[in-house]
């Protein structure tokens, strides 16, 4: 592999660039809607230069680290420049993206694979990007076909310099269903949790529990609004399940039913151990 293109030089795109720059001989080209970020990335030696349309077909892989609608719009605008290359998006939902782009990629002779690096920070932007952000972390990919071993091997080779510890292959639907639970609901719960009127007085009383639950409350409202609405069907299912569970805890507490409350707490503790180990 000799050339990588990256569209969107925020936390994820910037970290992708810096990770590839650890491997000698790879040229990294980047693009961003904010040209000052491109210049800053060049000064930081995270990229070798700006990514132009004429560069796209010569890239071994192009990463789209932008919002879901941005991915669809970018592909529509650049599809005639992508012949022969592989494009991997990094957006947080996969359903509409894969549905729209798989047939476009086939018609225009390029490979598109849905991707989701399962790593991040509660801060966004290029200045927080890190070359080791993905080291040992999971990567989820959604290929156009699940029986194409050569494609899977190719993707593993292309992303090897990023340092992922595990690569999972799934469908767009399964990805979006699981991500509603594993990522989107925690962000909503965290964001809602800090709206308690008691929150401003937590200092001196809080420790790990507060830090863990509130960590992702600080988020990018524009990005997460689009992601939540993209995935609203699965996310609403998670809301219904979570609210029903909360109502059970509330009812036991309100009625002073210690036996029921203990059963609920024990059940949650048991499920956590069964899922994630002791």
């Amino acid at each position: 592999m000799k050339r990588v293109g990256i569209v969107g030089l925020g936390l994820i795109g910037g970290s992708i660039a810096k990770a590839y720059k650890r491997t000698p001989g790879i040229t990294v080209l980047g693009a961003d809607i904010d040209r000052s970020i491109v210049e800053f990335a060049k000064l930081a030696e995270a990229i070798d230069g700006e990514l132009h349309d004429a560069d796209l077909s010569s890239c071994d892989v192009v990463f789209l680290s932008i919002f879901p609608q941005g991915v669809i719009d970018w592909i529509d605008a650049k599809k005639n420049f992508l012949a022969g290359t592989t494009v991997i998006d990094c957006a947080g939902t996969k359903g509409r993206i894969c549905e729209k782009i798989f047939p476009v990629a086939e018609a225009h002779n390029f490979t598109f694979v849905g991707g989701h690096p399962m790593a991040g920070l509660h801060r966004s932007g290029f200045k927080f990007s890190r070359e080791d952000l993905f080291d040992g972390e999971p990567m989820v990919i959604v290929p156009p076909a699940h029986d194409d071993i050569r494609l899977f091997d190719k993707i593993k080779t292309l992303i090897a310099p990023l340092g992922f510890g595990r690569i999972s292959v799934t469908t767009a639907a399964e990805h979006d269903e699981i991500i509603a639970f594993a990522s989107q609901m925690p962000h909503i719960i965290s964001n809602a949790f800090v709206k308690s009127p008691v929150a401003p007085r937590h200092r001196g009383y809080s420790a790990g529990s507060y830090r863990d639950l509130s960590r992702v409350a600080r988020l990018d409202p524009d990005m997460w609004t689009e992601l939540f609405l993209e995935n609203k069907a699965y996310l609403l299912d998670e809301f219904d399940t979570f609210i029903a569970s909360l109502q059970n805890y509330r009812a036991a507490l309100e009625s002073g039913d210690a036996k029921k409350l203990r059963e609920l707490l024990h059940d949650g503790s048991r499920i956590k151990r069964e899922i994630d180990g002791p």
Side-chain angles (χ1 to χ4, degrees):
M1 180 170 55
K2 295 182 178 180
R3 180 172 285 202
V4 174
I6 303 166
V7 178
L9 294 170
L11 173 67
I12 299 300
S15 295
I16 291 172
K18 291 177 179 179
Y20 274 109
K21 289 299 290 179
R22 296 183 296 186
T23 302
I26 295 181
T27 298
V28 179
L29 303 176
D32 195 278
I33 194 170
D34 185 345
R35 290 294 305 280
S36 68
I37 298 297
V38 176
E39 295 303 317
F40 187 75
K42 286 194 286 187
L43 288 173
E45 299 184 343
I47 62 173
D48 297 291
E50 187 169 1
L51 178 68
H52 299 286
D53 290 351
D55 302 311
L56 293 171
S57 63
S58 66
C59 289
D60 297 285
V61 60
V62 177
F63 289 91
L64 305 181
S65 184
I66 49 182
F67 293 3
Q69 186 59 49
V71 170
I72 293 170
D73 292 343
W74 189 90
I75 291 288
D76 185 57
K78 310 298 184 183
K79 59 192 176 187
N80 293 320
F81 300 97
L82 296 170
T85 194
T86 297
V87 181
I88 301 175
D89 89 283
C90 298
T93 56
K94 294 277 92 75
R96 194 162 66 95
I97 287 175
C98 291
E99 179 185 5
K100 295 276 188 181
I101 299 177
F102 282 154
V104 175
E106 184 175 6
H108 290 80
N109 195 33
F110 67 93
T111 299
F112 178 79
V113 174
H116 193 171
M118 302 310 300
L121 302 171
H122 63 277
R123 297 180 185 275
S124 60
F126 178 83
K127 65 180 178 179
F128 296 107
S129 61
R130 302 185 341 217
E131 67 176 31
D132 63 347
L133 184 67
F134 310 113
D135 287 356
E137 301 296 340
M139 172 66 164
V140 180
I141 64 170
V142 179
H146 286 74
D147 57 355
D148 191 338
I149 302 301
R150 287 194 300 175
L151 175 60
F152 183 51
D153 288 342
K154 178 181 179 181
I155 297 302
K156 286 199 297 183
T157 299
L158 288 173
I159 67 175
L162 297 179
F164 290 108
R166 176 180 178 181
I167 301 173
S168 299
V169 182
T170 187
T171 64
E174 183 177 47
H175 168 277
D176 288 357
E177 179 185 21
I178 295 175
I179 221 68
F181 164 77
S183 176
Q184 294 182 340
M185 275 300 290
H187 279 80
I188 288 175
I189 293 166
S190 182
N191 192 263
F193 171 68
V194 297
K195 294 177 180 177
S196 166
V198 180
R201 295 187 280 128
H202 80 86
R203 290 177 181 82
Y205 296 84
S206 60
S209 297
Y210 173 83
R211 287 194 301 269
D212 291 346
L213 188 52
S214 66
R215 183 180 67 84
V216 292
R218 185 185 299 175
L219 45 71
D220 179 339
D222 293 329
M223 180 182 78
W224 286 100
T225 294
E226 182 171 336
L227 291 175
F228 292 154
L229 291 175
E230 281 275 333
N231 208 29
K232 68 178 183 179
Y234 290 121
L235 194 52
L236 286 171
D237 285 344
E238 289 299 327
F239 261 99
D240 292 342
T241 299
F242 186 66
I243 290 171
S245 291
L246 284 181
Q247 292 287 9
N248 289 334
Y249 287 92
R250 191 186 191 285
L253 188 62
E254 186 176 39
S255 65
D257 189 341
K259 182 175 181 294
K260 180 62 175 177
L261 184 58
R262 186 185 182 284
E263 287 176 355
L264 291 168
L265 295 170
H266 179 270
D267 197 39
S269 181
R270 174 188 57 79
I271 291 170
K272 170 65 176 174
R273 288 194 302 272
E274 288 177 354
I275 293 171
D276 297 322

